[in-house]
Amino acid sequence: MHLGVKSAGLEWYRMRYLLKCLECGKQYSMFFPRQLCDKCSGILEVTYSGKPVMTSLKKDFWSYEALLPDGEYRHYKLGNTTLLPATHPGLFLKLESENPTKSFKDRGSVVEIAKAIEYGYDEVVCASTGNMAYSVAYYAKLAGIRATIFVSKNANWLKIRNIRETRDANVIRVDGDFTEAQRRAIRYSRRKEAFLAGDYAYRKEGQKTLVCEIMAELPELRNVLVPVGNATLFGATYKALLELKGLGLMSKFPRLIAVQASLANPLVVAFKRKEKVKYQEPRTDAGAIAVGYPTYGGQAIEGIRATHGTAVDVTDDEMEEERVSFYRDYGLQVEMSGVAAIAAFRKMNLKGQSVAVVSGGNTLKP
Ligand SMILES: [Zn+2]
């Protein structure tokens, strides 16, 4: 049940940001307690009105609080993940598998849950292919609110079982893909007045911290390879670069390279054909990036073009091979999508320093 914005302490807030609908342009105050436009159900974007005070980049998640929407954050330990020089020259691996629930999703979940609490919700709902479910359930439990998760047919059952057992979340499996799970989550949020979490504005804000941490360590970085499902991380990375440039903390952008599975590559197709992103039924076994219609696909293409980047895809076999050699080289178990960016790096001839974002997730096989 949604109880409305807490009134205590409101005088401490300034209107530091607005929410703007990416579809119809309608603007909302920072106290608007939802993540979809009331008028057209479009997704909203956080737009800051003033510049935060920030003079340097650090490898520290909470040092970027000034780049996040106002919130009563509990400073959980997350982010600050290792940037590991890879065995391949010029490549560094950002090990997002070190986050509490093993993926970069935590960076966004911590912001979303803080906003849900601030707005007075006692339940969150989201759609997930698995990793986001675990992350949202984890932070909801820490905050003492309920989580309901709609998962796609292709979500890893082991992940779901773990969430049910350890995090008390209500997990509902949908007979359809991620896009169908997303529809169900939206309907549920309206019917039950639960806070809709997922690949929306607040998650995107939290995920900006990933590239900030990378740039703190590698200011001369030339290429960033980001795995793409819904393209939220990709959109967040581009937004962060623009904001850092606005603060005078960045002069030259690294090229942003979107990596998809060949069997779920609507962004790659749209980029190559210079068309709008169209739905495509995802057929890849890399569940965490099996998305048929990326929510932030349009923004991702804008980010690729603005940074002179590109979009590439890798086959399921290439990811599986990479996963096995990743385990052999680094002793770390990750899922197929977790190494998609490394597999893409191998196929490309990139100059200068490159970073591949490595995510974790649960895996059944060593
Ligand atoms: Zn709208």
Side-chain angles (χ1 to χ4, degrees):
M1 179 68 184
H2 165 232
L3 303 170
V5 180
K6 286 179 197 167
S7 58
L10 271 188
E11 65 274 17
W12 294 101
Y13 287 96
R14 289 176 294 121
M15 201 68 87
R16 218 187 105 229
Y17 70 89
L18 295 172
L19 293 159
K20 188 177 176 185
C21 176
L22 290 175
E23 302 294 326
C24 75
K26 186 175 176 187
Q27 294 197 11
Y28 298 87
S29 89
M30 59 186 267
F31 303 117
F32 181 65
R34 288 182 284 282
Q35 298 219 69
L36 291 180
C37 177
D38 265 358
K39 191 175 155 198
C40 76
S41 296
I43 47 172
L44 307 177
E45 179 94 330
V46 173
T47 314
Y48 297 97
S49 47
K51 278 188 186 179
V53 178
M54 190 184 287
T55 52
S56 65
L57 300 180
K58 293 187 186 127
K59 191 191 147 199
D60 174 6
F61 181 91
W62 290 111
S63 73
Y64 298 105
E65 199 169 336
L67 293 185
L68 301 180
D70 308 49
E72 292 171 34
Y73 294 110
R74 299 189 200 174
H75 288 199
Y76 301 118
K77 192 174 176 297
L78 76 153
N80 317 336
T81 54
T82 300
L83 190 64
L84 184 74
T87 49
H88 199 288
L91 179 65
F92 294 79
L93 309 175
K94 184 66 170 163
L95 298 181
E96 285 295 285
S97 46
E98 292 177 349
N99 279 303
T101 73
K102 300 185 181 179
S103 84
F104 60 84
K105 304 284 184 188
D106 290 351
R107 296 175 183 272
S109 300
V110 80
V111 177
E112 274 190 332
I113 300 297
K115 298 308 286 188
I117 298 290
E118 184 189 322
Y119 295 142
Y121 287 92
D122 58 13
E123 182 179 8
V124 289
V125 57
C126 82
S128 172
T129 56
N131 290 342
M132 186 144 56
Y134 187 20
S135 183
V136 166
Y138 180 88
Y139 288 97
K141 181 154 184 178
L142 286 179
I145 59 176
R146 285 175 292 131
T148 294
I149 320 273
F150 287 88
V151 296
S152 49
K153 187 171 60 178
N154 58 3
N156 181 319
W157 189 244
L158 180 73
K159 289 180 188 177
I160 306 312
R161 199 191 61 193
N162 289 348
I163 296 158
R164 276 202 177 125
E165 285 174 359
T166 61
R167 290 288 152 195
D168 306 331
N170 178 25
V171 182
I172 300 162
R173 194 158 196 154
V174 168
D175 186 21
D177 66 5
F178 175 80
T179 305
E180 178 55 25
Q182 211 170 21
R183 271 189 219 116
R184 294 276 303 272
I186 291 169
R187 279 212 299 271
Y188 183 94
S189 74
R190 288 178 177 148
R191 206 171 63 241
K192 302 276 190 177
E193 292 194 45
F195 184 74
L196 179 66
D199 284 309
Y200 305 110
Y202 291 125
R203 169 165 305 277
K204 191 174 165 192
E205 291 303 301
Q207 291 183 353
K208 290 188 309 192
T209 57
L210 175 53
V211 75
C212 294
E213 284 182 16
I214 293 173
M215 297 310 295
E217 286 196 86
L218 292 177
E220 301 299 319
L221 178 66
R222 292 280 297 279
N223 310 291
V224 190
L225 297 106
V226 182
V228 166
N230 244 331
T232 313
L233 179 62
F234 199 91
T237 302
Y238 179 48
K239 190 171 192 275
L241 295 180
L242 292 173
E243 288 177 8
L244 293 180
K245 191 179 179 192
L247 292 171
L249 291 170
M250 172 162 302
S251 49
K252 197 173 174 211
F253 288 168
R255 295 172 69 216
L256 297 185
I257 300 166
V259 182
Q260 288 197 303
S262 305
L263 296 175
N265 68 349
L267 190 71
V268 175
V269 170
F271 175 69
K272 289 193 174 148
R273 293 185 187 163
K274 299 191 169 115
E275 290 173 353
K276 283 196 163 185
V277 181
K278 290 185 194 132
Y279 174 80
Q280 178 197 99
E281 193 188 341
R283 293 197 167 88
T284 174
D285 285 336
I289 52 172
V291 177
Y293 185 77
T295 307
Y296 288 99
Q299 280 200 348
I301 287 187
E302 190 188 320
I304 292 170
R305 296 219 170 101
T307 62
H308 308 289
T310 188
V312 292
D313 51 21
V314 287
T315 66
D316 281 20
D317 284 349
E318 285 166 339
M319 283 186 272
E320 182 55 22
E321 263 174 49
E322 193 65 54
R323 206 181 65 76
V324 172
S325 67
F326 184 78
Y327 179 68
R328 190 188 58 226
D329 292 349
Y330 307 102
L332 296 170
Q333 284 186 36
V334 295
E335 60 192 356
M336 281 165 70
S337 63
V339 291
I342 309 177
F345 175 86
R346 267 185 213 281
K347 293 169 76 167
M348 302 176 81
N349 182 23
L350 296 172
K351 305 269 188 300
Q353 291 175 332
S354 300
V355 168
V357 174
V358 176
S359 206
N362 282 344
T363 171
L364 284 167
K365 295 176 284 185

